[in-house]
Amino acid sequence: MADDLYARYMKAAAANRAHSATCSRCSPDGRCETGQHLEAEFQDAYLKKKR
Ligand SMILES: [Zn+2]
């Protein structure tokens, strides 16, 4: 339950970070389509984890 959410959060955070580090189309000012998707997943997991 909570462990699943935490695992999902960690996975989303890692994927988001890894993408940002390697994607040439993402910048602090804006994310590419994939980057936006990963960021949305991360935000979603983060908000669910907090509850
Ligand atoms: Zn990107």
Side-chain angles (χ1 to χ4, degrees):
M1 309 160 356
D3 283 351
D4 281 353
L5 278 179
Y6 186 71
R8 195 181 150 214
Y9 166 73
M10 291 302 286
K11 208 175 146 193
N16 191 29
R17 246 197 330 266
H19 179 88
S20 302
T22 56
C23 182
S24 57
R25 292 193 297 148
C26 282
S27 74
D29 294 331
R31 314 290 307 269
C32 73
E33 206 172 305
T34 304
Q36 283 177 28
H37 177 73
L38 287 170
E39 178 127 355
E41 292 249 304
F42 168 67
Q43 295 284 349
D44 185 57
Y46 176 74
L47 290 173
K48 288 201 170 97
K49 184 175 83 68
K50 259 172 57 168
R51 267 194 283 134

